[in-house]
Amino acid sequence: MLPKNEIVHGDCIEVLKDFPDNSIDLIFADPPYNLQLPKNRKLIRENGTEVIPVNDEWDKFESYEEYDRFTESWLKECQRILKPTGTIWVMGMYHNIFRVGKIMQDLGLWFLNDVIWVKIDAMPNFNGRRFTNNHETLIWAVKNKNCKNYTFNNELLKRMNGGKQMKDTDWVFKICRGPERLKDENGIKAHPTQKPLKLIQQVLLTASKKGDLVLDPFLGSGTTAVVAKALGRDWIGIEKEKKYVALAKKRIQDFINNKL
Amino acid sequence: MLPKNEIVHGDCIEVLKDFPDNSIDLIFADPPYNLQLPKNRKLIRENGTEVIPVNDEWDKFESYEEYDRFTESWLKECQRILKPTGTIWVMGMYHNIFRVGKIMQDLGLWFLNDVIWVKIDAMPNFNGRRFTNNHETLIWAVKNKNCKNYTFNNELLKRMNGGKQMKDTDWVFKICRGPERLKDENGIKAHPTQKPLKLIQQVLLTASKKGDLVLDPFLGSGTTAVVAKALGRDWIGIEKEKKYVALAKKRIQDFINNKL
DNA sequence: GCAAGGCATGAATCTACAT
DNA sequence: GATGTAGATTCATGCCTTG
């Protein structure tokens, strides 16, 4: 039925179709951003090193329409399986978050906040033709407009914030670099978009309780699973790419071994 | 032809239809967040408290569609009249900005940044069920993907930012309160969504030059006109509500009188 | 051992110009 | 227009080497 505390290898839309209605407490989704980078262009730093872009096949879509169809499909399933007391978090940046947000509203998901993750140590804008991209947006929503009884750990958040109510602009975290960043056998980043543990931790501390069931339909490097495990939540991760399934499995096992 | 340095009283979509193609250097738009339909009108008691209407009758999906049609109409005109070297700024918050952003992308407008205005002195969230809303989002875009020669005053921005490249999260300004806030004869705020001068000033300093022509299709209290005048830009303002036309006209005249 | 400096690098819708 | 090549451009952070 529900494969708790496991990674499911497969297309998330297909996998989600087998999940029962109203069964998930919290969904964290970091879907493909549809970056649309120019082809055959390299970005070289002054010191001669090359910026490795997100160029994976999973981020490529033929058109806005195709991206929208994909987005609506997985969001529809997520909405269906989300409990009325649950919440969904969807993360993105200006390439995709506006499309995603409109589709969420059209499905009837009801927004609670759009939270700004202000990045520390983000990459500068090299050519000086725009502002530095220094944030990502997290849309936080309930299943529909009538859902009022969702989890929001206000007192905990206030304690974490020096006694003051936390703002949608108070999420300031480092990007994932250094020892936390998973590397492959060549020392290159093993996943192009690994998210920081602290960011996901903030999501789970905000909107879930111990024993809740957390779903990540785009598990990637497995950050959500590790954080859920650490915080005593059950979790389900879905990942399409076999190599990332293996990466995340090893990561989770390493985490458990070091913990015990 | 182009009513420079004037306020045009009328529906912005109708007014914009008479403007020639490729004629505006910078558009700043702070569109309405809610539908202005009669069935959605809010009732305000004499003591200022709000009568909450029964909303169950009207179809929520229909209202989104109505808002989307309106949004697409004015954005289409704005895109048409924007110079290939110009840029458009559209401001909003989570109620509307995702819908607006998707429609902009669908029209072919090409995003440069989504800038976060981090508010100072924003209202707290009283019931402790969400994060405090502490920001608004400004989408900054060019007419289409191929437009590269837009104005971005990088050197000025760096000087304003201590020699460092400015980030999309560096826009921290107070909300419009105190003497800057226009009041009516009863001392009540004369416009519900008056924006701070410094915010609009940052927009114009970022993406326009002296002598450029700036358009605000939702002029409201006239902040854009005042800032444009102060910075030596020409401007056009469109405003549908007669009382706000009068308010802005007086404000601009007061500004000119005090300046001279 | 400690301080200073070199070096790597991060979800990025690069720009200008020639062909 | 589309494509290819050369050019100009950037910040914070942490690890590691050097002195």
Side-chain angles (χ1 to χ4, degrees):
Chain A
M1 201 60 167
L2 276 176
K4 284 192 187 178
N5 303 312
E6 279 179 31
I7 304 176
V8 183
H9 177 213
D11 177 80
C12 82
I13 300 166
E14 295 308 313
V15 173
L16 292 175
K17 282 182 179 163
D18 290 333
F19 285 26
D21 296 356
N22 306 316
S23 54
I24 308 288
D25 293 296
L26 187 147
I27 300 173
F28 175 83
D30 185 24
Y33 288 5
N34 190 22
L35 280 189
Q36 307 179 66
L37 296 172
K39 289 170 191 167
N40 305 321
R41 300 283 169 85
K42 290 187 175 180
L43 182 60
I44 307 294
R45 298 188 188 86
E46 198 181 34
N47 62 12
T49 60
E50 184 180 341
V51 175
I52 301 172
V54 177
N55 211 16
D56 288 17
E57 282 305 315
W58 54 259
D59 197 44
K60 295 195 190 310
F61 294 85
E62 284 298 319
S63 61
Y64 283 142
E65 288 75 16
E66 190 200 342
Y67 184 77
D68 293 348
R69 275 194 297 274
F70 163 76
T71 302
E72 188 186 340
S73 296
W74 72 259
L75 277 168
K76 205 167 192 170
E77 292 303 317
C78 283
Q79 183 183 31
R80 179 183 63 77
I81 65 177
L82 186 65
K83 288 184 186 173
T85 54
T87 58
I88 177 170
W89 298 74
V90 185
M91 186 167 177
M93 49 186 299
Y94 68 92
H95 305 82
N96 72 319
I97 196 64
F98 300 100
R99 317 192 70 78
V100 168
K102 178 177 184 287
I103 291 166
M104 290 177 73
Q105 282 188 322
D106 288 346
L107 287 171
L109 290 160
W110 193 252
F111 291 177
L112 299 171
N113 282 114
D114 58 333
V115 173
I116 305 300
W117 168 30
V118 178
K119 297 184 184 183
I120 294 175
D121 206 10
M123 185 153 59
N125 180 276
F126 288 99
N127 57 11
R129 296 290 290 143
R130 308 174 176 205
F131 295 101
T132 301
N133 295 328
N134 202 55
H135 76 278
E136 297 197 23
T137 302
L138 293 101
I139 296 176
W140 182 37
V142 283
K143 189 179 178 90
N144 63 59
K145 189 178 179 176
N146 300 318
C147 297
K148 305 289 185 192
N149 202 25
Y150 57 90
T151 298
F152 178 59
N153 297 316
N154 191 39
E155 290 307 317
L156 171 65
L157 291 168
K158 279 172 76 170
R159 284 201 301 277
M160 292 175 69
N161 200 39
K164 308 273 180 145
Q165 188 173 69
M166 199 174 278
K167 300 172 185 168
D168 57 17
T169 51
D170 281 338
W171 290 39
V172 183
F173 299 111
K174 282 188 289 189
I175 59 170
C176 187
R177 282 183 56 184
E180 187 184 327
R181 188 83 194 220
L182 302 175
K183 303 292 198 317
D184 66 13
E185 58 277 3
N186 302 316
I188 307 295
K189 55 186 174 188
H191 190 283
T193 67
Q194 185 182 343
K195 294 297 177 294
L197 290 160
K198 285 198 174 172
L199 177 73
I200 316 286
Q201 178 181 283
Q202 190 71 45
V203 170
L204 265 58
L205 288 177
T206 295
S208 71
K209 300 170 183 165
K210 279 203 176 186
D212 275 1
L213 180 55
V214 173
L215 166 72
D216 187 335
F218 306 98
L219 188 68
S221 59
T223 309
T224 304
V226 170
V227 173
K229 175 78 187 163
L231 295 177
R233 278 72 167 154
D234 285 324
W235 57 272
I236 302 171
I238 305 172
E239 174 54 45
K240 195 176 181 179
E241 303 282 332
K242 207 166 183 177
K243 62 175 177 177
Y244 297 139
V245 172
L247 181 73
K249 274 190 177 166
K250 182 174 181 311
R251 183 184 186 192
I252 295 158
Q253 201 53 53
D254 286 350
F255 174 76
I256 291 171
N257 292 342
N258 290 331
K259 270 305 239 204
L260 297 177
Chain B
M1 203 57 170
L2 278 175
K4 284 191 188 180
N5 303 313
E6 280 179 30
I7 304 176
V8 183
H9 177 212
D11 177 80
C12 83
I13 299 167
E14 295 308 315
V15 173
L16 292 176
K17 281 182 178 162
D18 291 332
F19 285 26
D21 296 354
N22 306 315
S23 54
I24 307 289
D25 293 295
L26 186 146
I27 300 172
F28 175 82
D30 185 24
Y33 299 165
N34 300 314
L35 299 175
Q36 302 300 322
L37 298 175
K39 53 186 170 182
N40 284 340
R41 288 249 172 91
K42 290 177 179 175
L43 293 175
I44 308 295
R45 296 190 190 90
E46 272 185 2
N47 63 5
T49 57
E50 181 182 338
V51 177
I52 298 169
V54 177
N55 266 346
D56 299 341
E57 302 168 21
W58 55 276
D59 185 341
K60 185 154 56 73
F61 184 74
E62 270 299 314
S63 71
Y64 278 144
E65 284 195 332
E66 194 67 33
Y67 185 77
D68 293 348
R69 273 195 294 275
F70 163 75
T71 301
E72 187 185 341
S73 295
W74 71 260
L75 277 169
K76 205 168 190 170
E77 292 303 317
C78 283
Q79 183 183 31
R80 180 183 63 77
I81 65 177
L82 186 64
K83 289 185 187 175
T85 55
T87 59
I88 178 170
W89 297 73
V90 185
M91 187 166 176
M93 50 187 299
Y94 69 91
H95 299 93
N96 71 320
I97 196 63
F98 299 101
R99 315 193 70 76
V100 169
K102 177 177 185 287
I103 290 166
M104 290 177 73
Q105 282 187 320
D106 288 346
L107 287 171
L109 290 159
W110 192 250
F111 291 177
L112 299 171
N113 282 116
D114 58 332
V115 174
I116 305 300
W117 168 29
V118 178
K119 297 183 185 182
I120 295 175
D121 286 340
M123 186 158 52
N125 180 275
F126 288 109
N127 61 11
R129 296 291 290 146
R130 308 174 179 205
F131 295 100
T132 301
N133 294 327
N134 201 54
H135 76 278
E136 297 197 23
T137 301
L138 294 101
I139 295 175
W140 181 37
V142 284
K143 190 180 178 89
N144 63 59
K145 188 178 180 176
N146 300 317
C147 297
K148 305 291 183 189
N149 201 26
Y150 57 91
T151 298
F152 178 61
N153 297 316
N154 191 39
E155 291 306 318
L156 172 65
L157 291 167
K158 279 173 73 170
R159 283 200 300 278
M160 293 174 69
N161 200 39
K164 306 284 181 173
Q165 189 175 74
M166 199 174 279
K167 300 171 187 170
D168 57 17
T169 50
D170 281 339
W171 290 38
V172 183
F173 300 111
K174 279 191 289 192
I175 60 170
C176 188
R177 284 178 56 188
E180 186 184 326
R181 188 80 193 224
L182 301 175
K183 306 291 198 317
D184 65 13
E185 57 278 4
N186 301 316
I188 307 296
K189 57 186 174 187
H191 190 281
T193 65
Q194 185 181 343
K195 292 299 178 294
L197 289 160
K198 284 197 175 174
L199 178 73
I200 317 286
Q201 177 181 282
Q202 190 71 44
V203 170
L204 266 58
L205 289 177
T206 295
S208 71
K209 300 170 183 166
K210 279 204 175 185
D212 275 1
L213 180 55
V214 173
L215 166 71
D216 188 335
F218 307 98
L219 189 68
S221 60
T223 309
T224 304
V226 170
V227 173
K229 175 79 187 162
L231 295 178
R233 278 72 165 151
D234 285 325
W235 57 272
I236 302 170
I238 305 172
E239 174 53 46
K240 195 176 181 179
E241 300 286 331
K242 206 167 184 176
K243 62 174 177 177
Y244 296 139
V245 172
L247 180 74
K249 273 190 177 163
K250 181 174 183 308
R251 183 184 186 193
I252 294 159
Q253 200 54 53
D254 287 349
F255 175 77
I256 291 171
N257 293 340
N258 290 331
K259 270 303 239 204
L260 296 178

